[in-house]
Amino acid sequence: MKQTKYLFPFFLMVIVPGAILAVISLFGFSNTLNRKLSDSLFHILPTHHRFSKDIVIIDIDEQSIAKYADHPELGQWPWKRNIYPTLIGYTKLLTPPKITIIDIMFTERSDYDEALVAANQSLGEISHAANFRNGGYVFTRKDEEDIAEKFNVSLPSDTPFPRYENASFPIGAVGETAPMIHVVNVISDTDGILRRFTPFTRWKNKHYPTLALQAFVSGKSYSTEWKEGRFRIRREDGVTREVPLGKDGLVRAYFYTEEELRNIPRYSAAGIIESLNQLNANEVEDPEKLLVPPTFFENKIVLIGTSAAATHDDVVTPHGLFPGVIAQAVFASNLTEGHLLTELPEIWGISFTLFILMFGVIILFVNQWHFLRNVYPVLAIGIFVGSFYFLYRLDLVLPSSSFVIGFPLSYLIGFAYLTYTEGKEKRKFNNILRNLVDPGVVSEALENMDSLKKGGEWEITAFFSDVAGFSSISEELSASDLARLLNEYLSAMTKILKANSGTLDKYIGDAIVGIFGAPIQNNDHPRLACTAALAMVTELEVLRSIWNEKKDYTETARGMKFRIGLNCGPAKVGFMGTDSLASYTMMGDTVNLAARLEAAAKDYGTSILVSESIESVCKDEFHFRFLDWIRVKGKEAPVKIYSLVSYVSDLTPQIIEAEEIYKQGFQFYLNREWEKAIGSFEKVSSVFGYKDVPSQLLIKRCQALFKNPPADGWDGVFTRTSK
């Protein structure tokens, strides 16, 4: 039954969102969202990789163009090609760099190509840029066939690397003499943001290294290996990089922080030219005091690129707009340092999300701790962020769209259903409780539904009342008059019960069963029960007066009396019954004794009979008259019983005197001094001015015991044989 109870919430919170996530994933809508979300999380979470210290940039920046605005060769873009050997040569004045990678295209002829050819032949490790593209008219220069064949890397024909239709290699002798080439193409995602790169690109089933790969191998020979779907690049010095390629041959780049990108070592081309001029003019003797010392390039990977606006070489990165050479530097650092991210398959994100959603079903519908329900969203988000960061530290990227879409959807559906079901339960219990307790108590009781439904065992005061001689009254009245009489009587008594924080357990004909101290626990329950009992006695006098004034009903009905039994102690309380028919009730010895006291009140002619447990906690405010020691049916231990007479403030000397004489008489009774006891009990009636029922009862008992003395060991306790 319980399993069935949780099936529908499981369907709503797990199956429905899971199906939606599957559809989104099936149609590929989640890829871009996953990457956007991971970008946001990368910004928030602490970085764990640092940009390579081996990479520096020679930047043809705004300052370089502005400084030489009037120069015949440097004052306009593009610069003449004889400038680049100057820049490259400067880096090799002392210890040369590992490699110089040019991020500028030389695909058209120039009058200064010879300078580049000379640099290729004399300055060593230089890599020139090639550019691939799709679309347009496919035309291949004659020299490109030779260049393409020269720099082709032997790889399997079924590699997933990006394929292009057209290629532009360095022009003529520049390409033919180039020690190395690299492809500078970058591939943005569908949202226009550059996040991924590839180590190789394809043209005419030939493979060519990208700038990042040339930076990693730095002119050294290398080998590649495909094994179990993994792509490995091994450099001649033994350093190996395993590249976690996606299905499209791209790998997710680690973009570091925006601050690191802006602080990548970039040296202005103008600063290098100025430093070279200083050296040529012998203006500076110590090279370290130059504007850009040549030692900055020792054993480095040097990228030559542009950031000036006139060069139009900007790309959109996860950190915003940056020069293309910065993005290339990031890719180079990733491959050089091994900072490569693996984008986990979408099934990982869906599985993780479904686990959280199943956890949510337990939290909302199985767990009974309200605090946990309230913090569940924070807890779930914390688990997600913590798991994402843990994997991120391992260079794994957890797909986030499943959680971002699935969790809010599941939580809202689940919370709505929970609100509906709990609201339905609250309405059900409200309908029950509003007839049992004061309306002010109902809202307070419903605040803790779990406790209300569960119930428990705690201290209460059990209340039982019954109309004396009701059978005779019912025989004298018609059905309609009897119903009217009962309605008047029960309405008045129940109103008093509820007004004193009592709970109506049930009506049994003319009898009223009530609970004080539940469902809202109240340590003052014995006092409230006594207050209610005295108020009922007063209210019945008012009713009798009205009935007599109107000559309503019969004379017997107009003289109606009732009896009340009160006892406090531990009892089991809670809703008992079926889902459709339940009542709030009480069970236990405390309850049974209260019922027996109500019945015993008839013997002593008193309206309110209470146990010693009531008298002991309420004697400071209420006056109780000791009556007897009795042993009720079903209970071996004797019970000391009292009559609730009035508030202490309403006591009269007559009552005090009569009760003192009664106590003396009861002591004579216990001492088996029957004649003295009878004399005292008779005197009680004299003081009261009427026959005192308890005294008359004890007189008859003494007379009987005088004739038939009790056996040895008699304790004076009277055993009632009826309920």
Side-chain angles (χ1 to χ4, degrees):
M1 180 67 182
K2 285 188 176 181
Q3 291 178 345
T4 306
K5 177 181 177 183
Y6 302 128
L7 282 179
F8 192 61
F10 181 83
F11 173 79
L12 289 177
M13 291 186 65
V14 180
I15 303 300
V16 171
I20 293 173
L21 295 177
V23 171
I24 292 173
S25 176
L26 183 65
F27 287 95
F29 298 145
S30 57
N31 288 338
T32 301
L33 181 57
N34 280 331
R35 291 179 180 134
K36 282 184 174 292
L37 291 170
S38 60
D39 287 345
S40 300
L41 289 167
F42 293 160
H43 291 327
I44 297 170
L45 298 173
T47 185
H48 60 285
H49 289 315
R50 298 295 177 187
F51 187 84
S52 176
K53 296 180 180 180
D54 292 336
I55 298 174
V56 298
I57 297 172
I58 295 176
D59 188 9
I60 302 173
D61 54 7
E62 291 290 349
Q63 180 184 357
S64 299
I65 294 177
K67 182 176 180 60
Y68 299 102
D70 298 326
H71 194 281
E73 296 179 348
L74 304 178
Q76 59 182 351
W77 182 259
W79 280 0
K80 293 182 179 180
R81 293 178 186 174
N82 59 339
I83 303 302
Y84 298 101
T86 301
L87 298 176
I88 298 170
Y90 184 79
T91 66
K92 298 177 182 290
L93 289 177
L94 299 176
T95 304
K98 293 179 180 178
I99 188 173
T100 301
I101 303 175
I102 303 174
D103 189 29
I104 298 170
M105 301 292 300
F106 303 127
T107 56
E108 70 284 342
R109 293 197 179 277
S110 166
D111 294 337
Y112 299 91
D113 287 348
E114 295 82 1
L116 283 175
V117 172
N120 289 340
Q121 295 172 337
S122 62
L123 294 179
E125 306 297 333
I126 302 172
S127 183
H128 283 273
N131 180 54
F132 292 178
R133 65 190 182 281
N134 287 318
Y137 181 71
V138 178
F139 177 80
T140 305
R141 300 193 317 261
K142 181 180 181 301
D143 63 303
E144 283 186 327
E145 292 288 352
D146 297 333
I147 296 172
E149 191 60 40
K150 175 183 177 183
F151 294 110
N152 174 42
V153 179
S154 179
L155 289 174
S157 60
D158 59 349
T159 63
F161 297 119
R163 183 194 299 267
Y164 292 89
E165 298 172 355
N166 297 328
S168 295
F169 292 100
I171 193 72
V174 177
E176 293 168 0
T177 59
M180 293 165 279
I181 68 160
H182 59 272
V183 180
V184 293
N185 291 72
V186 292
I187 302 174
S188 300
D189 290 326
T190 54
D191 60 352
I193 297 177
L194 182 64
R195 301 184 181 88
R196 301 180 297 157
F197 71 98
T198 179
F200 290 94
T201 54
R202 302 177 64 186
W203 174 66
K204 288 188 174 182
N205 292 322
K206 295 180 175 65
H207 294 79
Y208 300 93
T210 60
L211 186 151
L213 181 62
Q214 288 293 28
F216 169 61
V217 300
S218 298
K220 297 180 177 65
S221 62
Y222 62 94
S223 61
T224 60
E225 177 188 15
W226 289 91
K227 187 175 182 180
E228 299 175 356
R230 296 277 184 171
F231 180 62
R232 295 181 177 87
I233 306 168
R234 180 183 296 274
R235 211 163 55 192
E236 67 177 10
D237 60 1
V239 177
T240 301
R241 289 286 175 263
E242 184 171 298
V243 185
L245 297 174
K247 293 180 180 179
D248 52 5
L250 301 177
V251 60
R252 182 72 178 270
Y254 187 99
F255 258 89
Y256 308 100
T257 65
E258 183 177 355
E259 182 182 1
E260 278 195 283
L261 264 57
R262 298 194 184 282
N263 290 320
I264 292 175
R266 284 195 284 173
Y267 305 108
S268 173
I272 293 176
I273 294 171
E274 186 66 26
S275 298
L276 190 58
N277 290 337
Q278 289 176 339
L279 281 176
N280 292 335
N282 294 318
E283 294 178 1
V284 177
E285 294 182 2
D286 184 0
E288 289 301 315
K289 294 183 179 180
L290 292 170
L291 189 61
V292 181
T295 54
F296 285 1
F297 306 103
E298 290 182 5
N299 208 32
K300 301 291 186 182
I301 298 169
V302 178
L303 276 58
I304 299 177
T306 67
S307 65
T311 63
H312 304 291
D313 186 28
D314 290 331
V315 293
V316 180
T317 73
H319 295 299
L321 195 67
F322 275 88
V325 69
I326 295 294
Q328 295 285 13
V330 168
F331 302 153
S333 175
N334 284 177
L335 203 53
T336 301
E337 302 296 332
H339 302 159
L340 303 172
L341 298 177
T342 301
E343 293 183 319
L344 295 172
E346 183 67 24
I347 189 64
W348 280 64
I350 294 176
S351 300
F352 173 82
T353 301
L354 292 180
F355 169 76
I356 294 294
L357 301 191
M358 288 188 283
F359 183 59
V361 175
I362 296 172
I363 293 294
L364 292 182
F365 293 94
V366 180
N367 159 68
Q368 300 298 320
W369 193 21
H370 279 279
F371 175 74
L372 199 55
R373 287 182 180 177
N374 294 334
V375 302
Y376 166 59
V378 177
L379 184 63
I381 293 171
I383 292 173
F384 164 69
V385 174
S387 301
F388 185 95
Y389 182 59
F390 173 76
L391 293 171
Y392 177 48
R393 294 281 300 188
L394 301 175
D395 291 332
L396 302 172
V397 183
L398 179 69
S400 307
S401 64
S402 297
F403 180 81
V404 171
I405 295 172
F407 171 69
L409 180 63
S410 172
Y411 181 71
L412 289 174
I413 293 175
F415 190 76
Y417 181 69
L418 181 67
T419 302
Y420 168 75
T421 53
E422 286 199 340
K424 186 177 179 181
E425 282 193 306
K426 280 193 175 184
R427 289 190 294 274
K428 180 182 79 174
F429 286 110
N430 179 66
N431 290 336
I432 298 171
L433 286 175
R434 67 182 181 182
N435 294 318
L436 306 183
V437 298
D438 185 79
V441 179
V442 174
S443 58
E444 187 177 349
L446 293 176
E447 285 297 315
N448 192 348
M449 283 291 297
D450 293 332
S451 176
L452 185 64
K453 291 186 288 184
K454 190 176 180 181
E457 182 171 358
W458 60 69
E459 293 283 328
I460 61 145
T461 295
F463 172 99
F464 283 81
S465 75
D466 194 19
V467 175
F470 186 73
S471 298
S472 300
I473 294 174
S474 61
E475 290 173 359
E476 295 176 357
L477 296 175
S478 65
S480 59
D481 281 346
L482 181 62
R484 187 162 58 90
L485 174 69
L486 269 180
N487 286 340
E488 284 191 66
Y489 165 73
L490 293 176
S491 296
M493 299 302 119
T494 304
K495 184 177 180 180
I496 294 172
L497 181 82
K498 293 180 180 180
N500 288 278
S501 300
T503 299
L504 177 64
D505 183 330
K506 62 179 76 71
Y507 295 126
I508 308 174
D510 60 293
I512 301 173
V513 180
I515 312 168
F516 289 85
I520 300 299
Q521 288 181 289
N522 187 337
N523 294 332
D524 215 17
H525 55 87
R527 186 191 67 80
L528 292 169
C530 292
T531 301
L534 289 176
M536 288 179 182
V537 171
T538 302
E539 182 64 20
L540 184 58
E541 291 176 358
V542 173
L543 288 175
R544 287 200 298 258
S545 175
I546 294 172
W547 294 336
N548 283 315
E549 185 178 341
K550 293 181 178 180
K551 300 295 182 183
D552 211 353
Y553 308 119
T554 64
E555 185 176 347
T556 305
R558 293 195 296 270
M560 178 192 294
K561 294 182 180 180
F562 65 16
R563 300 182 297 269
I564 295 175
L566 298 179
N567 183 39
C568 65
K572 294 179 176 65
V573 292
F575 277 97
M576 299 176 194
T578 65
D579 288 341
S580 58
L581 183 62
S583 64
Y584 195 84
T585 189
M586 54 184 173
M587 292 187 299
D589 287 343
T590 297
V591 181
N592 295 335
L593 179 56
R596 302 292 186 268
L597 292 176
E598 179 273 314
K602 177 182 178 180
D603 299 343
Y604 297 90
T606 184
S607 296
I608 309 171
L609 193 64
V610 305
S611 65
E612 185 178 12
S613 60
I614 293 286
E615 186 269 346
S616 63
V617 295
C618 296
K619 60 186 177 182
D620 292 338
E621 184 175 353
F622 301 92
H623 178 68
F624 299 91
R625 175 187 175 184
F626 166 73
L627 295 179
D628 201 356
W629 281 92
I630 64 172
R631 187 176 288 109
V632 299
K633 188 172 183 180
K635 195 174 179 69
E636 287 299 320
V639 179
K640 194 175 185 180
I641 59 174
Y642 295 82
S643 169
L644 172 56
V645 178
S646 66
Y647 289 97
V648 171
S649 58
D650 294 335
L651 271 179
T652 63
Q654 181 189 33
I655 294 174
I656 296 173
E657 180 186 357
E659 290 182 7
E660 285 297 324
I661 297 172
Y662 184 87
K663 289 179 182 177
Q664 292 174 5
F666 197 84
Q667 190 59 50
F668 288 140
Y669 163 74
L670 293 177
N671 295 337
R672 306 189 183 200
E673 299 179 60
W674 315 119
E675 292 183 357
K676 290 182 178 181
I678 291 171
S680 294
F681 292 138
E682 288 177 342
K683 190 175 180 182
V684 171
S685 295
S686 298
V687 173
F688 277 129
Y690 57 82
K691 286 190 176 181
D692 179 52
V693 176
S695 297
Q696 296 301 312
L697 177 66
L698 267 295
I699 288 173
K700 290 179 181 179
R701 198 182 297 171
C702 288
Q703 290 172 344
L705 292 171
F706 179 75
K707 293 179 180 179
N708 298 294
D712 293 340
W714 176 75
D715 57 6
V717 177
F718 178 72
T719 301
R720 296 189 83 250
T721 55
S722 63
K723 290 185 178 182

